[in-house]
Amino acid sequence: MKILLIFPPLVHKQIYDLPEFVENEASLHPPLGLMSLAGYLQRFSRHEVRILDANAQKMEYRQLSQALQEYGPDLVGITVNTTFLYDAALTAKTVKEVDRDIHVCLGGAHVNLYPNQTMRLEGVDSVVVGDGELSFMKLADSLSEEKNGSGIDGVFISKTDRDKKINPMNPAYYIDDLDSLPFPARGLVNPQDYYSVFSSGKTKLMTSLVTSRGCPFRCSFCQLPFEKLRMRSPKNVIEEIEECVENGYAEFDIYDDTFNFSIDRVIEICKLICEKKFKIEWSFRGRVDRVNREMLQWAKKAGCSRIQFGIESGSQRILSAYNKGISLSDVYEAFRLMRQVGIASFAYFIVGGPGETLQDFEESLTLIKKIKPDYITFSILKPMPGTAIYDLSLKKGLRKNDYWEGFARNPTKDFIPPLWEENFTLSELIALRNRALRSFYFRLSYIARRATTIKSLNELTNMVKSGILLFRDICVSPIFKASIQHVKKT
């Protein structure tokens, strides 16, 4: 059976919670979910599999249709997140326009939230809930034997299961032993398609790496549907890194939701990297309350160049509203240790949370001045489906209807998800976000400090380009839009 795994063209993605540069141009990561499916199929089946990252290749739907005609797949798997549901649905319709007999299966974070609604979309034959590697392969096996794929854990067929009550948290849909999975099929994508503004050189290949799945924390703004944390062994992680190094990769972005949940595990991974003498650079996303000096020293020795922390707010009251489970003292200590050890820090903040006032926002700016991160970003809170904050917005009457469920049933290209506009309007939230970014990135002292850290011409090029594009988004564009509005009024 010929299988094509597709990351859709992101032609209709809505952006305004982050600056356009941060959302679209700062980085592009390989589709690890699809690569993991492909790796499993290559190892345990005889099916022929390809990956088409239509977003990375900047495809339009006409080109997607042509690619489908040229390959002629029997089964198409499409990954879908709520933020690009419309494009995923349009991709499914495009497949059926090419050949009605191609079986179309959707999987991914959105399907875990809205399995029944996804099954009812035009052109969708089945959905996979949970970890897809084993379930999707069993679906392919069933279809190749001219069966309909029913009766497989985690697989639901549109014709027979669309009204079935599905529990996405069912443990049967998830894989506990992550070491049993083959490594992602990186050979099926073009590594040159992927990049990051933090990359230190054009000659170095970069990739993403996932060493765990799930998250035990329950932040109120987070969409993660499965709270059980499953971690790969340090030995297994090192084996994947070694395979990547042998294939020319030298930069890694560890994409775990909380890589440093176990400090001891992080240290063990770092020690193994040092033993192998890998000449690599890597970064990870972590929590400030899971940091100590020993871990950071080993991370630095093993090539860790940057750690990204979700701080969210400088107000303890807002942190509590987000159910972050961290204190401001945790933040101060983590960033103090980072500066001493010499690892770059990236702080994520949110503006516009439940009950947030201008004073809370000012406290975030004050915190930034005190902890002195190397990089920051501010996003505007967008209540996403499946989150406690979204449920709270409906309960408080900020929105009268379950608009995300309506969008899941009938995705449209002009859908604009509301923000949390309790104390601020949309324009005020954008203005606050832009003010925070301007006050941080366009200080002469910051620019001078960043210039002293540049190690290559490529880094200098990235820094200049990033600065210009960020200036466009948070300085020039708002002035231009305000001028247009003034002209319209007069």
Side-chain angles (χ1 to χ4, degrees):
M1 171 166 282
K2 296 173 70 175
I3 301 172
L4 184 62
L5 304 176
I6 301 177
F7 193 103
L10 300 189
V11 178
H12 303 95
K13 190 175 181 182
Q14 290 283 352
I15 301 168
Y16 54 82
D17 52 325
L18 286 168
E20 183 178 350
F21 160 68
V22 177
E23 182 70 36
N24 275 347
E25 301 170 79
S27 63
L28 182 63
H29 293 88
L32 276 182
L34 297 183
M35 290 155 58
S36 187
L37 286 182
Y40 200 90
L41 287 164
Q42 287 180 331
R43 171 76 64 85
F44 296 113
S45 80
R46 295 183 178 180
H47 303 300
E48 178 184 322
V49 59
R50 292 186 184 179
I51 294 176
L52 177 59
D53 189 344
N55 179 49
Q57 296 183 33
K58 295 180 171 54
M59 280 188 170
E60 296 182 352
Y61 285 96
R62 175 181 53 81
Q63 297 166 306
L64 174 61
S65 178
Q66 183 178 348
L68 286 161
Q69 293 174 47
E70 290 175 355
Y71 181 51
D74 304 298
L75 168 61
V76 165
I78 302 170
T79 186
V80 53
N81 190 296
T82 305
T83 58
F84 56 83
L85 173 61
Y86 181 79
D87 279 310
L90 197 53
T91 298
K93 291 173 64 175
T94 301
V95 174
K96 290 297 186 180
E97 288 170 0
V98 170
D99 186 346
R100 297 293 304 176
D101 292 332
I102 299 174
H103 186 100
V104 175
C105 177
L106 268 62
H110 177 81
V111 178
N112 291 334
L113 293 167
Y114 295 112
N116 295 93
Q117 293 85 344
T118 307
M119 276 192 285
R120 295 188 179 100
L121 296 177
E122 181 182 350
V124 177
D125 297 303
S126 65
V127 298
V128 170
V129 175
D131 293 334
E133 288 88 353
L134 178 59
S135 302
F136 188 78
M137 188 187 73
K138 287 185 175 181
L139 172 64
D141 290 343
S142 177
L143 295 175
S144 68
E145 296 170 0
E146 298 186 354
K147 300 176 183 178
N148 69 355
S150 61
I152 301 169
D153 280 341
V155 176
F156 299 92
I157 308 301
S158 298
K159 287 183 179 180
T160 58
D161 297 327
R162 59 192 301 161
D163 295 319
K164 181 180 292 186
K165 189 174 183 180
I166 300 170
N167 175 19
M169 300 288 283
N170 189 332
Y173 308 154
Y174 295 86
I175 298 170
D176 280 326
D177 182 11
L178 299 185
D179 283 6
S180 67
L181 296 175
F183 302 143
R186 290 183 172 83
L188 295 184
V189 298
N190 179 6
Q192 301 292 346
D193 287 340
Y194 307 102
Y195 56 86
S196 168
V197 294
F198 296 108
S199 179
S200 60
K202 287 185 176 180
T203 58
K204 293 184 178 181
L205 296 182
M206 59 88 58
T207 189
S208 302
L209 191 69
V210 169
T211 77
S212 65
R213 294 181 183 180
C215 181
F217 302 102
R218 309 305 296 166
C219 299
S220 61
F221 53 82
C222 186
Q223 269 189 296
L224 290 174
F226 195 63
E227 60 190 47
K228 181 180 178 182
L229 178 63
R230 296 152 293 150
M231 297 184 289
R232 295 167 56 190
S233 68
K235 179 177 179 293
N236 184 253
V237 173
I238 293 303
E239 288 172 352
E240 182 177 353
I241 293 176
E242 186 167 32
E243 179 183 275
C244 290
V245 169
E246 289 172 353
N247 286 283
Y249 290 96
E251 297 185 7
F252 298 84
D253 188 358
I254 297 180
Y255 233 63
D256 300 27
D257 296 296
T258 308
F259 175 66
N260 64 330
F261 176 81
S262 168
I263 290 176
D264 290 341
R265 176 174 171 270
V266 173
I267 292 173
E268 189 173 352
I269 290 172
C270 293
K271 287 181 177 179
L272 289 173
I273 290 174
C274 293
E275 285 179 15
K276 291 285 186 177
K277 298 181 180 180
F278 293 143
K279 302 299 181 183
I280 61 174
E281 288 187 26
W282 51 282
S283 63
F284 72 85
R285 291 152 182 76
R287 285 177 61 92
V288 292
D289 59 343
R290 301 276 172 161
V291 168
N292 66 22
R293 184 183 300 276
E294 182 186 9
M295 187 199 81
L296 292 176
Q297 288 173 334
W298 273 109
K300 173 72 173 179
K301 188 177 180 181
C304 180
S305 57
R306 186 180 69 260
I307 302 177
Q308 290 136 263
F309 291 116
I311 308 303
E312 325 312 351
S313 176
S315 163
Q316 188 64 57
R317 184 176 67 85
I318 299 301
L319 288 177
S320 298
Y322 287 147
N323 197 34
K324 280 290 293 184
I326 63 172
S327 66
L328 291 177
S329 61
D330 293 327
V331 177
Y332 286 120
E333 178 63 8
F335 279 77
R336 183 184 70 83
L337 291 173
M338 291 273 285
R339 285 196 303 274
Q340 290 181 354
V341 173
I343 298 177
S345 57
F346 196 134
Y348 291 91
F349 285 87
I350 300 174
V351 61
E356 184 168 2
T357 64
L358 186 59
Q359 177 60 37
D360 295 311
F361 172 76
E362 296 292 348
E363 288 179 16
S364 292
L365 299 188
T366 299
L367 177 66
I368 291 171
K369 292 177 182 177
K370 290 181 178 179
I371 63 176
K372 299 177 182 177
D374 295 282
Y375 309 95
I376 68 164
T377 191
F378 264 79
S379 61
I380 300 171
L381 179 68
K382 180 165 61 179
M384 295 299 291
T387 66
I389 276 187
Y390 181 60
D391 294 340
L392 180 62
S393 72
L394 298 177
K395 185 177 180 180
K396 289 174 70 75
L398 295 180
R399 290 293 178 267
K400 294 181 179 180
N401 65 311
D402 187 349
Y403 54 87
W404 278 119
E405 196 277 334
F407 178 64
R409 280 187 287 103
N410 181 34
T412 57
K413 66 180 179 181
D414 57 350
F415 173 74
I416 300 178
L419 304 178
W420 187 284
E421 297 178 69
E422 182 180 15
N423 292 335
F424 302 102
T425 64
L426 171 59
S427 60
E428 288 172 335
L429 288 168
I430 293 175
L432 289 174
R433 178 200 68 191
N434 292 351
R435 175 189 157 198
L437 294 173
R438 280 196 305 268
S439 66
F440 181 80
Y441 282 110
F442 296 111
R443 294 170 294 147
L444 288 178
S445 59
Y446 176 80
I447 295 171
R449 180 159 59 94
R450 287 266 56 82
T452 62
T453 66
I454 294 172
K455 294 179 287 186
S456 68
L457 179 60
N458 190 64
E459 279 192 72
L460 175 62
T461 302
N462 284 343
M463 178 181 170
V464 173
K465 179 183 176 182
S466 300
I468 292 172
L469 293 175
L470 190 60
F471 183 81
R472 173 202 67 188
D473 291 342
I474 67 176
C475 298
V476 177
S477 292
I479 294 172
F480 177 74
K481 290 176 182 177
S483 300
I484 293 296
Q485 291 298 319
H486 177 73
V487 170
K488 286 181 178 179
K489 289 179 181 179
T490 56

